[in-house]
Amino acid sequence: MTEQQFKDFIKRPDKFQDALNYIFCILAILAGLFFLSLTFQIVTIRPKHDLDIYAAIILLSFGVYGLWRIPQDYEIIRINSDKSIEQKRQITENYLLTVNVRSRFVSRSLYRIQYRNKFFNSVDLCLAFDEKQFFISAKGADNFGGKGIIDFGLTRRATKRAKQYFNEKASI
């Protein structure tokens, strides 16, 4: 499996959700700009409220964060390994034993699993390998397999955990 095939695989199921998230972020930015414009209007048109600037800041920051965060779900970690395909498969299977797997899709050297972490949050983890390397991509998921924008570091922690495990096992 090539890196581009892996990237296409992890993007495929989320196109509709990504579109909704982009629309939601753009609407938040527009609402933030609206409240910001209310803040800078002349006092005679409408009395000023302190909540306008706070609403503007919150909505703008949420929208900008969302626009930055959505593509981060498709970041791919590559780990070089000289192990054979069968050894890589065994390393991957051993990793799956360390997590609480709820659902699993396996196709040759490609794995898509959803597991729960110790805080009962769902993680959608995609793993693949070829002759030269492992590919890892993780993202937060809701109970229905969807994804959200705000995950409070869940994606980063899941990626870090998998990366650490595969770095350790790939070099042994």
Coordinates of all heavy atoms in Angstrom, one line a residue, residues 14 17 69 73 95 99-104 112-126 137-159 161:
D14 N -15.3 10.3 5.4 CA -15.5 11.6 6.2 C -15.8 12.8 5.3 O -15.9 13.9 5.8 CB -14.3 11.9 7.0 CG -14.1 10.9 8.1 OD1 -15.0 10.3 8.6 OD2 -12.9 10.7 8.5
Q17 N -19.1 14.6 6.4 CA -18.9 15.2 7.8 C -17.9 16.4 7.7 O -18.1 17.4 8.4 CB -18.4 14.2 8.7 CG -19.4 13.2 9.1 CD -18.8 12.1 10.0 OE1 -17.7 12.1 10.4 NE2 -19.7 11.1 10.3
R69 N -8.2 22.7 12.4 CA -8.3 21.4 13.0 C -8.7 20.3 12.0 O -8.3 19.1 12.1 CB -9.2 21.4 14.2 CG -9.3 20.1 14.9 CD -8.0 19.7 15.6 NE -8.1 18.4 16.2 CZ -7.7 17.3 15.6 NH1 -7.3 17.3 14.4 NH2 -7.8 16.2 16.2
D73 N -6.9 15.8 11.0 CA -7.3 14.4 11.2 C -6.7 13.5 10.1 O -6.8 12.3 10.2 CB -8.8 14.3 11.1 CG -9.5 14.8 12.4 OD1 -8.8 14.8 13.4 OD2 -10.7 15.1 12.3
Y95 N -0.6 -4.9 18.9 CA -1.0 -3.5 19.3 C -2.5 -3.5 19.6 O -3.0 -2.9 20.5 CB -0.7 -2.4 18.3 CG -1.1 -1.1 18.7 CD1 -0.5 -0.4 19.7 CD2 -2.2 -0.5 18.2 CE1 -0.9 0.8 20.2 CE2 -2.7 0.8 18.6 CZ -2.0 1.4 19.6 OH -2.4 2.6 20.0
V99 N -5.5 -2.4 23.1 CA -6.6 -1.4 23.2 C -8.0 -2.1 23.2 O -8.1 -3.3 22.9 CB -6.6 -0.4 21.9 CG1 -5.3 0.4 22.0 CG2 -6.7 -1.2 20.6
N100 N -9.0 -1.4 23.7 CA -10.4 -2.0 23.8 C -11.1 -1.8 22.5 O -11.9 -0.9 22.3 CB -11.1 -1.2 24.9 CG -12.5 -1.8 25.2 OD1 -12.8 -2.8 24.7 ND2 -13.2 -1.1 26.0
V101 N -10.9 -2.7 21.5 CA -11.4 -2.6 20.2 C -12.9 -2.9 20.2 O -13.4 -3.8 20.8 CB -10.8 -3.7 19.2 CG1 -11.4 -3.6 17.9 CG2 -9.3 -3.4 19.2
R102 N -13.7 -1.9 19.6 CA -15.1 -2.0 19.5 C -15.5 -2.5 18.1 O -16.5 -3.2 17.9 CB -15.8 -0.7 19.8 CG -15.5 -0.2 21.2 CD -16.1 1.2 21.5 NE -17.5 1.1 21.3 CZ -18.2 2.1 20.8 NH1 -17.6 3.2 20.5 NH2 -19.5 2.1 20.7
S103 N -14.8 -2.0 17.1 CA -15.1 -2.5 15.7 C -13.8 -2.6 15.0 O -12.8 -1.9 15.3 CB -16.1 -1.5 15.0 OG -15.5 -0.3 14.8
R104 N -13.8 -3.4 13.9 CA -12.6 -3.7 13.2 C -12.9 -4.0 11.8 O -13.8 -4.7 11.4 CB -12.0 -4.9 13.9 CG -10.8 -5.5 13.3 CD -10.4 -6.7 14.1 NE -9.1 -7.1 13.8 CZ -8.3 -7.7 14.5 NH1 -8.7 -8.1 15.7 NH2 -7.0 -8.0 14.2
R112 N -8.6 -0.7 10.0 CA -9.4 0.4 10.5 C -10.1 -0.1 11.7 O -10.9 -1.0 11.6 CB -10.4 1.0 9.5 CG -11.2 2.2 10.1 CD -12.3 2.6 9.2 NE -11.7 3.2 8.0 CZ -11.6 4.6 7.8 NH1 -11.9 5.4 8.8 NH2 -11.1 5.0 6.7
I113 N -9.7 0.4 12.9 CA -10.4 0.0 14.1 C -10.9 1.2 14.8 O -10.5 2.3 14.6 CB -9.4 -0.8 15.0 CG1 -8.3 0.2 15.5 CG2 -8.9 -2.0 14.4 CD1 -7.5 -0.4 16.7
Q114 N -11.9 0.9 15.6 CA -12.5 1.9 16.6 C -12.3 1.3 17.9 O -12.8 0.2 18.2 CB -13.9 2.3 16.2 CG -14.3 3.5 17.0 CD -15.7 4.0 16.6 OE1 -16.7 3.4 17.1 NE2 -15.8 4.9 15.7
Y115 N -11.7 2.1 18.8 CA -11.6 1.6 20.2 C -11.9 2.7 21.2 O -12.0 3.8 20.9 CB -10.1 1.0 20.4 CG -9.0 2.1 20.5 CD1 -8.7 2.6 21.7 CD2 -8.3 2.4 19.3 CE1 -7.6 3.6 21.7 CE2 -7.3 3.3 19.4 CZ -7.0 3.9 20.6 OH -6.0 4.8 20.7
R116 N -12.1 2.2 22.4 CA -12.4 3.2 23.5 C -11.1 3.3 24.4 O -10.5 2.3 24.7 CB -13.5 2.6 24.4 CG -14.8 2.9 23.8 CD -15.8 3.1 24.8 NE -17.0 3.7 24.2 CZ -18.2 3.7 24.7 NH1 -18.3 3.2 25.9 NH2 -19.2 4.2 24.1
N117 N -10.8 4.5 24.7 CA -9.6 4.7 25.6 C -10.1 4.6 27.1 O -11.2 4.3 27.3 CB -8.9 6.0 25.3 CG -9.7 7.2 25.7 OD1 -10.9 7.2 26.2 ND2 -9.2 8.4 25.4
K118 N -9.2 4.9 28.0 CA -9.5 4.7 29.4 C -10.6 5.7 29.9 O -11.1 5.5 31.0 CB -8.2 4.8 30.3 CG -7.5 6.2 30.2 CD -6.3 6.1 31.0 CE -5.5 7.4 30.8 NZ -4.2 7.4 31.5
F119 N -10.8 6.8 29.2 CA -11.9 7.8 29.5 C -13.2 7.6 28.8 O -14.0 8.4 28.7 CB -11.4 9.2 29.3 CG -10.1 9.5 30.1 CD1 -8.9 9.8 29.4 CD2 -10.1 9.6 31.4 CE1 -7.8 10.1 30.1 CE2 -9.0 9.9 32.2 CZ -7.8 10.1 31.5
F120 N -13.3 6.4 28.1 CA -14.5 6.0 27.3 C -14.7 6.9 26.1 O -15.8 6.9 25.6 CB -15.7 5.9 28.2 CG -15.6 5.0 29.4 CD1 -15.4 5.4 30.7 CD2 -15.5 3.6 29.2 CE1 -15.3 4.6 31.7 CE2 -15.4 2.7 30.2 CZ -15.2 3.2 31.5
N121 N -13.7 7.5 25.6 CA -13.8 8.2 24.4 C -13.4 7.3 23.2 O -12.6 6.4 23.3 CB -12.8 9.4 24.3 CG -13.1 10.4 25.4 OD1 -14.3 10.7 25.6 ND2 -12.1 11.0 26.0
S122 N -14.1 7.4 22.1 CA -13.8 6.6 20.9 C -12.8 7.2 20.1 O -12.7 8.4 19.8 CB -15.1 6.4 20.1 OG -16.0 5.7 20.9
V123 N -11.9 6.3 19.6 CA -10.8 6.7 18.7 C -10.9 5.8 17.4 O -11.1 4.6 17.5 CB -9.4 6.4 19.3 CG1 -8.3 6.7 18.4 CG2 -9.3 7.3 20.6
D124 N -10.9 6.5 16.3 CA -10.8 5.8 15.0 C -9.4 5.7 14.5 O -8.8 6.8 14.2 CB -11.7 6.5 14.0 CG -11.9 5.8 12.7 OD1 -11.7 4.6 12.7 OD2 -12.3 6.4 11.7
L125 N -8.8 4.6 14.5 CA -7.4 4.4 14.2 C -7.2 3.6 12.9 O -7.8 2.5 12.8 CB -6.7 3.6 15.4 CG -5.2 3.4 15.2 CD1 -4.4 4.7 15.3 CD2 -4.7 2.5 16.3
C126 N -6.5 4.1 12.0 CA -6.1 3.5 10.8 C -4.7 3.1 10.8 O -3.8 4.0 11.0 CB -6.5 4.3 9.6 SG -8.2 4.6 9.4
S137 N -2.7 6.7 11.4 CA -3.6 7.9 11.4 C -4.7 7.7 12.4 O -5.4 6.7 12.4 CB -4.2 8.2 10.0 OG -5.1 9.3 10.1
A138 N -4.8 8.6 13.4 CA -5.8 8.5 14.4 C -6.7 9.7 14.4 O -6.2 10.8 14.1 CB -5.2 8.3 15.8
K139 N -7.9 9.6 14.9 CA -8.8 10.7 15.1 C -9.9 10.4 16.0 O -10.2 9.2 16.2 CB -9.4 11.2 13.7 CG -10.3 10.2 13.1 CD -10.7 10.7 11.7 CE -11.3 9.6 10.9 NZ -11.3 9.8 9.5
G140 N -10.4 11.4 16.7 CA -11.5 11.1 17.6 C -12.8 10.8 16.9 O -13.0 11.2 15.7
A141 N -13.6 10.0 17.5 CA -14.9 9.5 16.8 C -16.0 9.5 17.9 O -15.7 9.4 19.1 CB -14.7 8.1 16.2
D142 N -17.2 9.8 17.4 CA -18.3 9.6 18.3 C -18.8 8.2 18.3 O -18.3 7.3 17.6 CB -19.4 10.6 18.0 CG -20.1 10.4 16.7 OD1 -19.9 9.3 16.1 OD2 -20.8 11.3 16.2
N143 N -19.8 7.9 19.1 CA -20.3 6.5 19.2 C -20.9 6.0 17.9 O -21.1 4.8 17.8 CB -21.3 6.4 20.3 CG -20.7 6.7 21.7 OD1 -19.5 6.4 21.9 ND2 -21.4 7.2 22.6
F144 N -21.2 6.9 17.0 CA -21.8 6.4 15.7 C -20.8 6.4 14.6 O -21.2 6.3 13.5 CB -23.0 7.4 15.4 CG -24.0 7.5 16.5 CD1 -24.1 8.6 17.3 CD2 -24.8 6.4 16.8 CE1 -25.0 8.7 18.3 CE2 -25.7 6.5 17.9 CZ -25.8 7.6 18.6
G145 N -19.6 6.6 14.9 CA -18.5 6.5 13.9 C -18.2 7.8 13.2 O -17.4 7.9 12.3
G146 N -18.9 8.9 13.7 CA -18.6 10.2 13.1 C -17.4 10.8 13.7 O -16.7 10.2 14.5
K147 N -17.1 12.0 13.3 CA -16.0 12.7 13.9 C -16.3 14.1 14.3 O -17.2 14.7 13.7 CB -14.8 12.7 13.0 CG -15.0 13.5 11.7 CD -13.7 13.5 10.9 CE -13.6 14.9 10.2 NZ -12.4 15.3 9.9
G148 N -15.7 14.7 15.3 CA -15.9 16.0 15.7 C -14.7 16.9 15.5 O -13.6 16.4 15.1
I149 N -14.9 18.2 15.7 CA -13.8 19.1 15.6 C -13.0 19.2 16.9 O -11.8 19.2 16.9 CB -14.3 20.5 15.1 CG1 -15.1 20.4 13.9 CG2 -13.2 21.5 15.0 CD1 -15.8 21.6 13.5
I150 N -13.7 19.3 18.0 CA -13.0 19.5 19.2 C -12.9 18.2 19.9 O -13.9 17.6 20.3 CB -13.8 20.5 20.1 CG1 -13.9 21.9 19.4 CG2 -13.2 20.7 21.5 CD1 -14.7 22.9 20.1
D151 N -11.7 17.8 20.2 CA -11.5 16.5 20.8 C -10.6 16.5 22.0 O -10.2 15.5 22.6 CB -10.9 15.5 19.8 CG -9.5 15.8 19.3 OD1 -9.0 16.9 19.7 OD2 -8.9 15.1 18.6
F152 N -10.2 17.7 22.5 CA -9.5 17.9 23.7 C -8.2 17.1 23.8 O -7.9 16.5 24.8 CB -10.4 17.7 24.9 CG -11.6 18.5 25.0 CD1 -12.8 18.0 24.7 CD2 -11.5 19.9 25.3 CE1 -14.0 18.7 24.8 CE2 -12.6 20.7 25.3 CZ -13.9 20.1 25.1
G153 N -7.5 17.0 22.6 CA -6.2 16.3 22.6 C -6.3 14.8 22.4 O -5.3 14.1 22.4
L154 N -7.5 14.3 22.2 CA -7.7 12.8 22.1 C -6.9 12.3 20.9 O -6.2 11.3 21.0 CB -9.2 12.5 21.9 CG -9.5 11.1 21.6 CD1 -9.2 10.2 22.8 CD2 -11.0 11.0 21.3
T155 N -7.0 13.0 19.7 CA -6.3 12.5 18.5 C -4.8 12.5 18.7 O -4.1 11.6 18.4 CB -6.7 13.4 17.3 OG1 -8.1 13.3 17.1 CG2 -5.9 13.1 16.1
R156 N -4.3 13.6 19.3 CA -2.9 13.7 19.6 C -2.4 12.6 20.5 O -1.3 12.0 20.2 CB -2.5 15.1 20.2 CG -1.0 15.3 20.4 CD -0.8 16.7 20.9 NE -1.5 17.1 22.1 CZ -1.2 16.6 23.3 NH1 -0.2 15.9 23.5 NH2 -2.0 17.0 24.3
R157 N -3.1 12.3 21.6 CA -2.7 11.3 22.5 C -2.7 9.9 21.9 O -1.8 9.1 22.1 CB -3.6 11.3 23.8 CG -3.3 12.5 24.7 CD -4.0 12.3 26.0 NE -5.4 12.2 25.9 CZ -6.3 13.1 25.7 NH1 -5.9 14.4 25.7 NH2 -7.6 12.9 25.6
A158 N -3.8 9.6 21.1 CA -3.9 8.3 20.4 C -2.8 8.1 19.4 O -2.2 7.0 19.3 CB -5.3 8.2 19.8
T159 N -2.5 9.2 18.7 CA -1.4 9.1 17.7 C -0.1 8.9 18.4 O 0.8 8.1 17.9 CB -1.4 10.4 16.8 OG1 -2.6 10.6 16.2 CG2 -0.3 10.3 15.8
R161 N 0.5 7.5 21.3 CA 0.6 6.2 21.8 C 0.9 5.1 20.7 O 1.8 4.3 20.9 CB -0.7 5.8 22.5 CG -0.8 4.4 23.1 CD -2.1 4.1 23.7 NE -2.1 2.8 24.2 CZ -3.1 2.1 24.6 NH1 -4.3 2.7 24.5 NH2 -3.0 0.9 25.0

